[in-house]
Amino acid sequence: MLEINNLNAGIEDKEILRGIDLKVNAGEVHAIMGPNGSGKSTLSSVIAGKEEYEVSGGDILFEGESILEMDADERAHKGVFLSFQYPVEIPGVSVTNFIKTAINQTRKAKGLEDMPASEMLKKIREKSELLEIDRKFLSRSLNEGFSGGEKKRNEIFQMAMLEPKLAILDETDSGLDIDALRIVSNGVNKLRSSDNAVIVITHYQRLLEYIVPDFVHVLVNGKIVKSGGKELALELEEKGYDWVKAETAV
Amino acid sequence: MSLKDKLLSSYLTFQENQDFDNSIHDIKDAAIKIFEEKGFPTKKDENWKYTSLNSLVKGDFSLVGRNEDAIEFRDVKKYFLNDIDTYKIVFIDGKYSSYLSETTHDGVDVCLLSAALTKPKYKPVIDKYFDKIVKKDSLTSLNTAFAREGAYIYVPKGKTVSKPIQIVHFATGLESSLMLQPRNLVVVEENAEVQIIERHQSLNSNAVFTNSVTEIYAADHARVDYYKIQNDKEAASLIDNTHIDQQTSSEVAVHTFSFGGKLTRNNLNFYQNGEHNNSILKGVTIIEDKQHVDHNTLVHHKQPNCESHQDYKGIFDDRATGVFNGKVVVDSVAQKINAYQSNNNILVSDKASINSKPQLEIFADDVRCSHGCTIGQLDEDALFYMKTRGIGEKEGRALLMYAFANNVLESVKIPQLKSRITKLIANKLGVNLGFEV
Ligand SMILES: Nc1ncnc2c1ncn2[C@@H]1O[C@H](COP(=O)(O)OP(=O)(O)OP(=O)(O)O)[C@@H](O)[C@H]1O
Ligand SMILES: [Mg+2]
């Protein structure tokens, strides 16, 4: 589904990603861990298509096709979804109106008519129940004045509505309380199937108890320095990153 | 001949043809003198620094339209709010169109100023209010001198006008350039209530120069909700002079939606003459090409325990230019005043510009005044966020602009008008927002 080959990217003169290789197949869950500032959010932004970052080498293939030249919205139409570490506030647009616009724009890009209002309502009801989101919440301005946890839950609500093929969750667990973590993870797991894939970026093993990864990668200083199974996350939690850094230092 | 000279020389003939009584003639004679002395404002005038009337005052405008009821309802239907029942006072090239109008004398008067100025039964109200609320500046005085036609709305004590009133001024363009000077008088007595929607609309691309004056008197506990739709054609210019006298515990809201026209200047003046007044001034301006919109507001707090809320938003594209000049005066007796003012702007093109200037003159010590002004571009992070959800550049920009303007619409109390304005905004921004409002 996703294939990243020797990706180098940065901003202005600053090199941030230095040769990333990553292959994610349909049906898989990959976790990416790594110290602050190692480039995890940059990697997700580059996959999602943030133009600010300059790709100086390598390629990103999605379903066999290079997406580097595509706009972020085109990538979204193809099924790439990024749950932001810091979701952006959009005062004046309600959650409901926002998601309606997102869904209908995506349908339009695929040559489909707008989703009928009744179907839209049904879907909104279904997904908000899944994520235990209060009705009143949906009429509030998107992310404006939302608590940290509410923002994250709302990201996953949008994901559930859009049903992407590849979901990248950038620290979706940070800010969530214990119950919310369970609810949100449950929402993510409901979406999982043999046709789609998830990349979870996290600092904590706890999330991975709910969303169990097939692979864990460690990103240090713009490179994936170690990959392993889910037990690698436990090992990191126990020992920190120093041993990985030491092991990989040349 | 300059427009000023033309106006001055036609004044006498105009007066001779009117059957006003002497007191009205006196008011008009005094007004034309003021205009003669002051003339049209120029850029040297501090209040007109950023708005030039040069191209207008050099124009060769006809001062009277042709007397033809030249338009069919079906051709102009789209300029009315049709999905609710309303009273309508409609003018074509400055002349009343009974065919397009729906007036009333049933409990309230929704009719013509020409009738009110000439018929004895209206004399007490005219004597008390006509030309009494206005600031006697040159443009208002010019209008006073020539004032003959416009809307006359009188709402007696305790009455609520059962449906909104639409005041619509059409210009047919039968004259190659036409100057119009409509005059509205709105008197809302104690505990009475009214909603008014006003629109100036030219029907082709011939030049129109409208110098309009509206006087609004809100007695104790009166509520007035006034909406101005300024979405005119490219050769239409409008100077709107609105003067509002508020008495104790009254609430007056004026929303101004400026989406089109060549030059638009809004002189909006609130005088708070009673305690516990609430004055609400809101505006959304979305213009492009070389359009120009200037909001010049005054809120004069003359009594204690009052509030004023000003919220103006502007979106400027191409070479469009905007001005916001918001003056708040708090007299020394006017303690415990809350006066808010905000003016936020987005410049879509780097050739567009806005001059924003708050002016606070506060002579009382126990007041809360806040003012803020921002000028910015659209939030790129928000655009990226929306793209990751499948919302493209164009729709994303439109959605952000819609959102930016949206909170001004929240206080629009007529739902059909609100959705109409939203659609106008969506149209202007060239998108389908993907949802109904
Ligand atoms: N727009 C930017 N401008 C300048 N520097 C940037 C920009 N984006 C990222 N960086 C830098 O690139 C490095 C990687 O940042 P990134 O946000 O990808 O880290 P991260 O691994 O997600 O960290 P965290 O765990 O704290 O979220 C950091 O040093 C950061 O300061
Ligand atoms: Mg990060």
Side-chain angles (χ1 to χ4, degrees):
Chain A
M1 174 169 290
L2 180 76
E3 202 180 318
I4 301 178
N5 299 318
N6 193 24
L7 182 71
N8 286 271
I11 196 155
E12 280 150 23
D13 291 337
K14 191 179 155 102
E15 223 189 340
I16 304 174
L17 303 179
R18 308 152 200 265
I20 302 253
D21 289 296
L22 181 68
K23 195 162 188 258
V24 178
N25 294 309
E28 292 176 352
V29 174
H30 289 242
I32 299 178
M33 304 180 80
N36 293 135
S38 58
K40 303 179 298 296
S41 294
T42 304
L43 176 61
S44 359
S45 297
V46 172
I47 299 172
K50 189 159 187 163
E51 282 162 26
E52 218 176 300
Y53 296 105
E54 200 189 318
V55 175
S56 52
D59 206 351
I60 304 176
L61 307 179
F62 185 68
E63 298 187 310
E65 188 187 1
S66 174
I67 56 171
L68 280 184
E69 294 300 313
M70 290 181 193
D71 264 351
D73 51 325
E74 259 180 278
R75 299 183 199 196
H77 299 154
K78 294 219 173 295
V80 178
F81 179 90
L82 169 61
S83 168
F84 280 51
Q85 182 175 1
Y86 304 107
V88 181
E89 300 191 357
I90 307 190
V93 183
S94 69
V95 177
T96 308
N97 281 341
F98 184 76
I99 198 65
K100 278 183 186 169
T101 308
I103 285 187
N104 284 333
Q105 288 296 325
T106 302
R107 288 173 68 99
K108 196 171 159 196
K110 291 179 181 158
L112 299 171
E113 293 284 301
D114 279 2
M115 182 181 277
S118 58
E119 196 183 323
M120 183 77 80
L121 275 178
K122 189 166 159 254
K123 192 162 184 177
I124 290 175
R125 193 173 318 128
E126 207 178 285
K127 303 300 182 189
S128 56
E129 273 166 21
L130 173 68
L131 289 157
E132 299 183 23
I133 291 175
D134 192 54
R135 278 292 189 74
K136 270 185 257 149
F137 194 77
L138 298 175
S139 56
R140 281 176 59 182
S141 278
L142 187 69
N143 292 326
E144 191 186 30
F146 287 16
S147 74
E150 287 168 340
K151 283 184 182 168
K152 297 305 174 68
R153 194 188 292 224
N154 178 52
E155 291 288 278
I156 301 307
F157 166 69
Q158 292 183 46
M159 182 190 94
M161 289 294 294
L162 290 163
E163 300 176 339
K165 287 183 191 152
L166 172 69
I168 306 165
L169 313 181
D170 191 358
E171 293 196 26
T172 298
D173 52 341
S174 65
L176 292 177
D177 66 39
I178 299 160
D179 292 334
L181 185 65
R182 185 178 38 76
I183 294 161
V184 164
S185 308
N186 180 35
V188 174
N189 286 330
K190 277 265 162 59
L191 181 86
R192 289 181 58 184
S193 78
S194 55
D195 297 329
N196 53 36
V198 184
I199 298 175
V200 284
I201 294 169
T202 182
H203 286 296
Y204 306 105
Q205 153 66 16
R206 183 185 276 279
L207 175 70
L208 303 179
E209 282 168 16
Y210 292 104
I211 306 174
V212 182
D214 302 297
F215 301 94
V216 174
H217 309 278
V218 185
L219 188 67
V220 178
N221 202 9
K223 274 192 197 127
I224 291 181
V225 294
K226 199 172 177 64
S227 298
K230 61 173 185 258
E231 62 294 336
L232 179 55
L234 281 173
E235 204 173 347
L236 288 169
E237 179 118 316
E238 204 176 300
K239 302 192 200 161
Y241 290 112
D242 281 348
W243 69 277
V244 192
K245 287 183 191 164
E247 199 175 89
T248 53
V250 207
Chain B
M1 189 163 36
S2 75
L3 184 58
K4 182 182 172 186
D5 291 339
K6 187 170 184 177
L7 285 159
L8 291 174
S9 66
S10 62
Y11 175 73
L12 279 182
T13 345
F14 169 81
Q15 284 297 79
E16 278 160 14
N17 295 327
Q18 308 293 333
D19 50 356
F20 302 133
D21 70 39
N22 282 339
S23 62
I24 302 290
H25 278 297
D26 290 348
I27 288 174
K28 286 168 174 285
D29 286 347
I32 197 73
K33 281 211 185 72
I34 294 176
F35 174 69
E36 185 170 13
E37 262 165 45
K38 294 188 180 167
F40 284 105
T42 68
K43 286 189 122 179
K44 287 191 194 118
D45 202 319
E46 187 59 30
N47 250 333
W48 290 83
K49 211 165 150 187
Y50 301 106
T51 297
S52 168
L53 297 180
N54 246 338
S55 68
L56 291 171
V57 301
K58 286 192 187 126
D60 184 20
F61 289 93
S62 309
L63 302 181
V64 277
R66 299 187 196 177
N67 208 353
E68 293 173 50
D69 214 344
I71 48 182
E72 294 285 338
F73 179 63
R74 64 181 139 83
D75 296 331
V76 294
K77 187 175 176 208
K78 62 178 175 191
Y79 300 117
F80 292 94
L81 202 59
N82 295 304
D83 34 14
I84 42 165
D85 198 13
T86 59
Y87 291 117
K88 297 178 190 70
I89 315 174
V90 183
F91 304 92
I92 300 171
D93 292 341
K95 307 236 157 50
Y96 175 62
S97 164
S98 59
Y99 170 63
L100 294 175
S101 299
E102 187 188 332
T103 58
T104 186
H105 294 288
D106 184 14
V108 300
D109 289 312
V110 176
C111 59
L112 301 181
L113 187 72
S114 57
L117 286 177
T118 48
K119 292 187 183 161
K121 78 163 181 178
Y122 299 106
K123 193 172 168 13
V125 177
I126 293 294
D127 282 349
K128 192 163 171 201
Y129 299 108
F130 181 73
D131 199 45
K132 298 298 183 288
I133 302 158
V134 298
K135 182 161 76 177
K136 301 206 160 44
D137 57 55
S138 68
L139 288 164
T140 301
S141 301
L142 172 63
N143 177 288
T144 302
F146 286 91
R148 203 192 88 82
E149 197 54 288
Y152 173 81
I153 296 165
Y154 181 80
V155 192
K157 222 173 173 169
K159 284 270 179 193
T160 296
V161 183
S162 59
K163 49 194 185 186
I165 301 165
Q166 302 191 66
I167 305 172
V168 185
H169 297 273
F170 289 113
T172 58
L174 286 172
E175 297 289 336
S176 63
S177 4
L178 179 65
M179 181 170 187
L180 294 171
Q181 302 212 59
R183 175 77 167 223
N184 305 313
L185 178 62
V186 178
V187 177
V188 186
E189 295 285 19
E190 278 168 49
N191 280 305
E193 203 169 326
V194 67
Q195 292 180 319
I196 298 167
I197 302 163
E198 180 190 348
R199 177 166 196 156
H200 300 263
Q201 186 65 50
S202 56
L203 300 173
N204 68 18
S205 53
N206 280 342
V208 185
F209 173 19
T210 304
N211 177 41
S212 169
V213 171
T214 302
E215 292 181 89
I216 299 172
Y217 179 82
D220 296 357
H221 298 278
R223 299 168 79 89
V224 181
D225 207 9
Y226 208 110
Y227 302 93
K228 293 173 185 285
I229 302 176
Q230 302 172 341
N231 187 26
D232 215 339
K233 294 242 172 0
E234 62 277 9
S237 295
L238 170 68
I239 299 174
D240 178 307
N241 308 281
T242 298
H243 306 268
I244 298 157
D245 178 341
Q246 284 190 253
Q247 300 296 324
T248 306
S249 299
S250 62
E251 181 178 305
V252 179
V254 176
H255 288 72
T256 308
F257 301 106
S258 311
F259 301 149
K262 183 177 176 216
L263 178 153
T264 309
R265 161 78 175 221
N266 288 293
N267 296 314
L268 180 55
N269 304 294
F270 277 78
Y271 308 100
Q272 294 191 335
N273 291 312
E275 289 196 41
H276 303 287
N277 284 173
N278 190 7
S279 305
I280 297 158
L281 300 80
K282 302 219 171 182
V284 181
T285 303
I286 306 177
I287 52 171
E288 63 279 309
D289 297 332
K290 287 170 95 176
Q291 295 174 332
H292 178 82
V293 172
D294 179 347
H295 291 288
N296 192 286
T297 68
L298 165 71
V299 178
H300 192 161
H301 291 279
K302 298 158 104 173
Q303 296 292 330
N305 299 310
C306 292
E307 288 182 26
S308 64
H309 300 263
Q310 297 194 55
D311 185 3
Y312 281 82
K313 301 237 164 141
I315 299 173
F316 303 88
D317 201 352
D318 302 329
R319 289 168 179 277
T321 48
V323 182
F324 176 79
N325 194 338
K327 188 168 174 177
V328 175
V329 181
V330 182
D331 286 355
S332 57
V333 295
Q335 299 294 354
K336 304 223 180 299
I337 295 294
N338 283 329
Y340 302 98
Q341 183 185 84
S342 89
N343 173 232
N344 301 296
N345 302 287
I346 292 177
L347 299 179
V348 181
S349 133
D350 52 13
K351 301 235 162 54
S353 71
I354 167 85
N355 279 293
S356 180
K357 183 173 141 197
Q359 269 177 282
L360 307 179
E361 295 176 8
I362 297 165
F363 303 101
D365 42 33
D366 188 10
V367 295
R368 277 173 51 191
C369 277
S370 72
H371 67 94
C373 149
T374 60
I375 297 169
Q377 270 82 32
L378 289 177
D379 180 352
E380 292 295 330
D381 288 336
L383 282 171
F384 174 62
Y385 181 83
M386 293 197 281
K387 282 186 185 175
T388 67
R389 307 296 139 99
I391 302 172
E393 177 88 22
K394 190 175 163 213
E395 289 76 17
R397 285 183 176 276
L399 194 60
L400 282 184
M401 291 192 255
Y402 162 77
F404 171 75
N406 191 41
N407 69 339
V408 178
L409 298 186
E410 256 157 37
S411 50
V412 173
K413 292 200 189 95
I414 306 171
Q416 294 85 348
L417 178 67
K418 189 169 165 179
S419 88
R420 175 73 172 264
I421 300 285
T422 306
K423 279 182 195 137
L424 270 177
I425 293 179
N427 262 347
K428 272 214 78 98
L429 303 172
V431 285
N432 176 358
L433 289 169
F435 53 86
E436 285 288 315
V437 279

